[in-house]
Amino acid sequence: MENLIFGLGVMVIGLLVVFLGLIILIVFIKVLSMITDRSTGIKKPEKAPAAAPVVPAPPVAAPAPAVSEGVSAEVVAAITAAIAAVWQAPTGFVVRHVKRVNNAPAWNRAGREEQTYSRF
């Protein structure tokens, strides 16, 4: 029975030391990040007020992209939408050409398809 009580005491002391050490590390990292932010002049972004509604610009007639055989208009629209979703530059873009590329090895395609279809 003495061994059990001694073991529990050692366990409690060990847990307290570990969590106290983690708390000290967290505080140390927070202080260091505040010091480096202050010395570099980086300010954290503040919450922006509600933005005024954006009025879309009048549509500009863009030339239809050149599409190789086997690529439907829906695929071109999906590719264009995906690019527009991640586009970060201040200027716009135009999709001029879409061409299917089948130069990947068979095992590469099989792995990609397996990953894609496993998410459904």
Side-chain angles (χ1 to χ4, degrees):
M1 189 67 173
E2 285 182 21
N3 287 341
L4 179 64
I5 294 173
F6 178 73
L8 289 174
V10 168
M11 181 189 72
V12 169
I13 290 172
L15 285 172
L16 289 174
V17 167
V18 166
F19 283 109
L20 183 65
L22 288 173
I23 291 171
I24 290 171
L25 277 173
I26 290 170
V27 170
F28 183 71
I29 290 172
K30 292 281 187 185
V31 168
L32 278 178
S33 68
M34 287 184 347
I35 290 171
T36 57
D37 287 349
R38 197 175 300 163
S39 67
T40 58
I42 298 174
K43 294 183 179 179
K44 292 186 178 180
E46 298 176 5
K47 290 187 177 180
V54 177
V55 178
V60 177
V67 179
S68 60
E69 289 184 30
V71 181
S72 66
E74 291 85 13
V75 173
V76 173
I79 291 171
T80 306
I83 294 171
V86 297
W87 192 260
Q88 297 294 323
T91 60
F93 69 95
V94 176
V95 175
R96 299 189 195 288
H97 186 72
V98 176
K99 183 173 97 175
R100 182 178 298 272
V101 177
N102 287 327
N103 58 356
W107 59 267
N108 192 333
R109 284 194 316 254
R112 190 179 323 123
E113 288 175 3
E114 179 182 334
Q115 287 292 321
T116 302
Y117 296 139
S118 69
R119 290 187 164 89
F120 289 129

PDB file of all heavy atoms in Angstrom, residues 65-80 95 97-102:
ATOM      1  N   PRO A  65     -12.005  31.191 -74.362  1.00  0.00           N
ATOM      2  CA  PRO A  65     -10.721  30.509 -74.315  1.00  0.00           C
ATOM      3  C   PRO A  65     -10.641  29.408 -75.359  1.00  0.00           C
ATOM      4  O   PRO A  65     -11.633  28.766 -75.691  1.00  0.00           O
ATOM      5  CB  PRO A  65     -10.673  29.928 -72.905  1.00  0.00           C
ATOM      6  CG  PRO A  65     -12.077  29.871 -72.454  1.00  0.00           C
ATOM      7  CD  PRO A  65     -12.801  30.964 -73.166  1.00  0.00           C
ATOM      8  N   ALA A  66      -9.446  29.202 -75.864  1.00  0.00           N
ATOM      9  CA  ALA A  66      -9.232  28.133 -76.828  1.00  0.00           C
ATOM     10  C   ALA A  66      -9.192  26.820 -76.060  1.00  0.00           C
ATOM     11  O   ALA A  66      -8.412  26.656 -75.134  1.00  0.00           O
ATOM     12  CB  ALA A  66      -7.916  28.344 -77.564  1.00  0.00           C
ATOM     13  N   VAL A  67     -10.051  25.898 -76.423  1.00  0.00           N
ATOM     14  CA  VAL A  67     -10.180  24.648 -75.691  1.00  0.00           C
ATOM     15  C   VAL A  67      -9.843  23.501 -76.627  1.00  0.00           C
ATOM     16  O   VAL A  67     -10.345  23.428 -77.743  1.00  0.00           O
ATOM     17  CB  VAL A  67     -11.625  24.483 -75.159  1.00  0.00           C
ATOM     18  CG1 VAL A  67     -11.773  23.180 -74.419  1.00  0.00           C
ATOM     19  CG2 VAL A  67     -11.994  25.639 -74.265  1.00  0.00           C
ATOM     20  N   SER A  68      -8.989  22.598 -76.141  1.00  0.00           N
ATOM     21  CA  SER A  68      -8.675  21.431 -76.946  1.00  0.00           C
ATOM     22  C   SER A  68      -9.810  20.416 -76.831  1.00  0.00           C
ATOM     23  O   SER A  68     -10.672  20.525 -75.967  1.00  0.00           O
ATOM     24  CB  SER A  68      -7.352  20.816 -76.485  1.00  0.00           C
ATOM     25  OG  SER A  68      -7.445  20.426 -75.135  1.00  0.00           O
ATOM     26  N   GLU A  69      -9.783  19.426 -77.685  1.00  0.00           N
ATOM     27  CA  GLU A  69     -10.858  18.445 -77.718  1.00  0.00           C
ATOM     28  C   GLU A  69     -10.934  17.690 -76.390  1.00  0.00           C
ATOM     29  O   GLU A  69      -9.937  17.406 -75.768  1.00  0.00           O
ATOM     30  CB  GLU A  69     -10.616  17.451 -78.846  1.00  0.00           C
ATOM     31  CG  GLU A  69     -10.814  18.042 -80.220  1.00  0.00           C
ATOM     32  CD  GLU A  69     -10.658  16.983 -81.295  1.00  0.00           C
ATOM     33  OE1 GLU A  69     -10.966  15.815 -81.034  1.00  0.00           O
ATOM     34  OE2 GLU A  69     -10.220  17.348 -82.386  1.00  0.00           O
ATOM     35  N   GLY A  70     -12.150  17.373 -75.990  1.00  0.00           N
ATOM     36  CA  GLY A  70     -12.349  16.583 -74.783  1.00  0.00           C
ATOM     37  C   GLY A  70     -12.528  17.420 -73.530  1.00  0.00           C
ATOM     38  O   GLY A  70     -12.784  16.878 -72.465  1.00  0.00           O
ATOM     39  N   VAL A  71     -12.387  18.728 -73.595  1.00  0.00           N
ATOM     40  CA  VAL A  71     -12.581  19.591 -72.433  1.00  0.00           C
ATOM     41  C   VAL A  71     -13.878  20.360 -72.645  1.00  0.00           C
ATOM     42  O   VAL A  71     -13.992  21.152 -73.578  1.00  0.00           O
ATOM     43  CB  VAL A  71     -11.387  20.562 -72.245  1.00  0.00           C
ATOM     44  CG1 VAL A  71     -11.608  21.421 -71.027  1.00  0.00           C
ATOM     45  CG2 VAL A  71     -10.091  19.802 -72.128  1.00  0.00           C
ATOM     46  N   SER A  72     -14.848  20.105 -71.774  1.00  0.00           N
ATOM     47  CA  SER A  72     -16.151  20.742 -71.948  1.00  0.00           C
ATOM     48  C   SER A  72     -16.134  22.172 -71.422  1.00  0.00           C
ATOM     49  O   SER A  72     -15.224  22.580 -70.686  1.00  0.00           O
ATOM     50  CB  SER A  72     -17.224  19.937 -71.217  1.00  0.00           C
ATOM     51  OG  SER A  72     -16.986  19.985 -69.831  1.00  0.00           O
ATOM     52  N   ALA A  73     -17.164  22.910 -71.761  1.00  0.00           N
ATOM     53  CA  ALA A  73     -17.282  24.295 -71.310  1.00  0.00           C
ATOM     54  C   ALA A  73     -17.448  24.355 -69.792  1.00  0.00           C
ATOM     55  O   ALA A  73     -16.988  25.300 -69.141  1.00  0.00           O
ATOM     56  CB  ALA A  73     -18.455  24.972 -72.006  1.00  0.00           C
ATOM     57  N   GLU A  74     -18.086  23.336 -69.219  1.00  0.00           N
ATOM     58  CA  GLU A  74     -18.253  23.306 -67.763  1.00  0.00           C
ATOM     59  C   GLU A  74     -16.905  23.181 -67.054  1.00  0.00           C
ATOM     60  O   GLU A  74     -16.674  23.798 -66.021  1.00  0.00           O
ATOM     61  CB  GLU A  74     -19.171  22.145 -67.345  1.00  0.00           C
ATOM     62  CG  GLU A  74     -20.612  22.314 -67.746  1.00  0.00           C
ATOM     63  CD  GLU A  74     -20.883  21.841 -69.160  1.00  0.00           C
ATOM     64  OE1 GLU A  74     -20.012  21.151 -69.762  1.00  0.00           O
ATOM     65  OE2 GLU A  74     -21.959  22.170 -69.687  1.00  0.00           O
ATOM     66  N   VAL A  75     -16.004  22.371 -67.626  1.00  0.00           N
ATOM     67  CA  VAL A  75     -14.676  22.212 -67.032  1.00  0.00           C
ATOM     68  C   VAL A  75     -13.906  23.520 -67.115  1.00  0.00           C
ATOM     69  O   VAL A  75     -13.242  23.933 -66.159  1.00  0.00           O
ATOM     70  CB  VAL A  75     -13.906  21.062 -67.721  1.00  0.00           C
ATOM     71  CG1 VAL A  75     -12.466  21.003 -67.243  1.00  0.00           C
ATOM     72  CG2 VAL A  75     -14.601  19.741 -67.463  1.00  0.00           C
ATOM     73  N   VAL A  76     -13.997  24.208 -68.233  1.00  0.00           N
ATOM     74  CA  VAL A  76     -13.319  25.502 -68.386  1.00  0.00           C
ATOM     75  C   VAL A  76     -13.884  26.496 -67.369  1.00  0.00           C
ATOM     76  O   VAL A  76     -13.139  27.239 -66.726  1.00  0.00           O
ATOM     77  CB  VAL A  76     -13.474  26.036 -69.826  1.00  0.00           C
ATOM     78  CG1 VAL A  76     -12.919  27.441 -69.941  1.00  0.00           C
ATOM     79  CG2 VAL A  76     -12.790  25.110 -70.801  1.00  0.00           C
ATOM     80  N   ALA A  77     -15.207  26.491 -67.183  1.00  0.00           N
ATOM     81  CA  ALA A  77     -15.819  27.387 -66.204  1.00  0.00           C
ATOM     82  C   ALA A  77     -15.356  27.047 -64.792  1.00  0.00           C
ATOM     83  O   ALA A  77     -15.086  27.941 -63.974  1.00  0.00           O
ATOM     84  CB  ALA A  77     -17.335  27.306 -66.303  1.00  0.00           C
ATOM     85  N   ALA A  78     -15.243  25.757 -64.470  1.00  0.00           N
ATOM     86  CA  ALA A  78     -14.789  25.349 -63.140  1.00  0.00           C
ATOM     87  C   ALA A  78     -13.333  25.745 -62.908  1.00  0.00           C
ATOM     88  O   ALA A  78     -12.972  26.226 -61.824  1.00  0.00           O
ATOM     89  CB  ALA A  78     -14.960  23.840 -62.971  1.00  0.00           C
ATOM     90  N   ILE A  79     -12.494  25.575 -63.920  1.00  0.00           N
ATOM     91  CA  ILE A  79     -11.083  25.968 -63.788  1.00  0.00           C
ATOM     92  C   ILE A  79     -10.970  27.473 -63.599  1.00  0.00           C
ATOM     93  O   ILE A  79     -10.230  27.953 -62.728  1.00  0.00           O
ATOM     94  CB  ILE A  79     -10.280  25.509 -65.027  1.00  0.00           C
ATOM     95  CG1 ILE A  79     -10.174  23.985 -65.056  1.00  0.00           C
ATOM     96  CG2 ILE A  79      -8.900  26.144 -65.049  1.00  0.00           C
ATOM     97  CD1 ILE A  79      -9.604  23.433 -66.336  1.00  0.00           C
ATOM     98  N   THR A  80     -11.723  28.228 -64.368  1.00  0.00           N
ATOM     99  CA  THR A  80     -11.696  29.684 -64.246  1.00  0.00           C
ATOM    100  C   THR A  80     -12.194  30.126 -62.874  1.00  0.00           C
ATOM    101  O   THR A  80     -11.619  31.024 -62.254  1.00  0.00           O
ATOM    102  CB  THR A  80     -12.551  30.320 -65.356  1.00  0.00           C
ATOM    103  OG1 THR A  80     -12.109  29.817 -66.619  1.00  0.00           O
ATOM    104  CG2 THR A  80     -12.442  31.824 -65.347  1.00  0.00           C
ATOM    105  N   VAL A  95      -8.448  33.593 -68.939  1.00  0.00           N
ATOM    106  CA  VAL A  95      -8.041  32.246 -69.348  1.00  0.00           C
ATOM    107  C   VAL A  95      -8.063  32.224 -70.867  1.00  0.00           C
ATOM    108  O   VAL A  95      -9.106  32.388 -71.488  1.00  0.00           O
ATOM    109  CB  VAL A  95      -8.998  31.179 -68.767  1.00  0.00           C
ATOM    110  CG1 VAL A  95      -8.637  29.809 -69.291  1.00  0.00           C
ATOM    111  CG2 VAL A  95      -8.961  31.209 -67.260  1.00  0.00           C
ATOM    112  N   HIS A  97      -6.257  29.722 -72.829  1.00  0.00           N
ATOM    113  CA  HIS A  97      -6.105  28.407 -73.430  1.00  0.00           C
ATOM    114  C   HIS A  97      -6.216  27.342 -72.352  1.00  0.00           C
ATOM    115  O   HIS A  97      -5.612  27.469 -71.294  1.00  0.00           O
ATOM    116  CB  HIS A  97      -4.755  28.305 -74.138  1.00  0.00           C
ATOM    117  CG  HIS A  97      -4.585  27.041 -74.901  1.00  0.00           C
ATOM    118  ND1 HIS A  97      -5.256  26.775 -76.072  1.00  0.00           N
ATOM    119  CD2 HIS A  97      -3.821  25.956 -74.655  1.00  0.00           C
ATOM    120  CE1 HIS A  97      -4.900  25.591 -76.512  1.00  0.00           C
ATOM    121  NE2 HIS A  97      -4.028  25.071 -75.668  1.00  0.00           N
ATOM    122  N   VAL A  98      -6.972  26.302 -72.623  1.00  0.00           N
ATOM    123  CA  VAL A  98      -7.086  25.154 -71.728  1.00  0.00           C
ATOM    124  C   VAL A  98      -6.725  23.924 -72.534  1.00  0.00           C
ATOM    125  O   VAL A  98      -7.300  23.677 -73.590  1.00  0.00           O
ATOM    126  CB  VAL A  98      -8.515  25.026 -71.154  1.00  0.00           C
ATOM    127  CG1 VAL A  98      -8.638  23.773 -70.313  1.00  0.00           C
ATOM    128  CG2 VAL A  98      -8.866  26.244 -70.340  1.00  0.00           C
ATOM    129  N   LYS A  99      -5.746  23.165 -72.036  1.00  0.00           N
ATOM    130  CA  LYS A  99      -5.309  21.973 -72.753  1.00  0.00           C
ATOM    131  C   LYS A  99      -5.130  20.851 -71.748  1.00  0.00           C
ATOM    132  O   LYS A  99      -4.510  21.027 -70.703  1.00  0.00           O
ATOM    133  CB  LYS A  99      -3.984  22.260 -73.460  1.00  0.00           C
ATOM    134  CG  LYS A  99      -3.469  21.100 -74.296  1.00  0.00           C
ATOM    135  CD  LYS A  99      -2.249  21.505 -75.089  1.00  0.00           C
ATOM    136  CE  LYS A  99      -1.019  21.056 -74.330  1.00  0.00           C
ATOM    137  NZ  LYS A  99       0.221  21.289 -75.058  1.00  0.00           N
ATOM    138  N   ARG A 100      -5.705  19.699 -72.034  1.00  0.00           N
ATOM    139  CA  ARG A 100      -5.565  18.540 -71.160  1.00  0.00           C
ATOM    140  C   ARG A 100      -4.160  17.975 -71.322  1.00  0.00           C
ATOM    141  O   ARG A 100      -3.672  17.778 -72.430  1.00  0.00           O
ATOM    142  CB  ARG A 100      -6.603  17.485 -71.501  1.00  0.00           C
ATOM    143  CG  ARG A 100      -6.539  16.254 -70.592  1.00  0.00           C
ATOM    144  CD  ARG A 100      -7.623  15.265 -70.940  1.00  0.00           C
ATOM    145  NE  ARG A 100      -8.944  15.826 -70.744  1.00  0.00           N
ATOM    146  CZ  ARG A 100      -9.611  15.790 -69.581  1.00  0.00           C
ATOM    147  NH1 ARG A 100      -9.046  15.228 -68.535  1.00  0.00           N
ATOM    148  NH2 ARG A 100     -10.815  16.293 -69.484  1.00  0.00           N
ATOM    149  N   VAL A 101      -3.517  17.674 -70.190  1.00  0.00           N
ATOM    150  CA  VAL A 101      -2.173  17.124 -70.206  1.00  0.00           C
ATOM    151  C   VAL A 101      -2.231  15.740 -69.573  1.00  0.00           C
ATOM    152  O   VAL A 101      -2.630  15.591 -68.425  1.00  0.00           O
ATOM    153  CB  VAL A 101      -1.192  18.023 -69.419  1.00  0.00           C
ATOM    154  CG1 VAL A 101       0.185  17.414 -69.378  1.00  0.00           C
ATOM    155  CG2 VAL A 101      -1.155  19.402 -70.014  1.00  0.00           C
ATOM    156  N   ASN A 102      -1.860  14.732 -70.323  1.00  0.00           N
ATOM    157  CA  ASN A 102      -1.849  13.350 -69.823  1.00  0.00           C
ATOM    158  C   ASN A 102      -0.430  12.803 -69.852  1.00  0.00           C
ATOM    159  O   ASN A 102      -0.161  11.778 -70.456  1.00  0.00           O
ATOM    160  CB  ASN A 102      -2.766  12.463 -70.673  1.00  0.00           C
ATOM    161  CG  ASN A 102      -4.221  12.750 -70.413  1.00  0.00           C
ATOM    162  OD1 ASN A 102      -4.595  13.082 -69.303  1.00  0.00           O
ATOM    163  ND2 ASN A 102      -5.034  12.640 -71.448  1.00  0.00           N
TER     164      ASN A 102
END
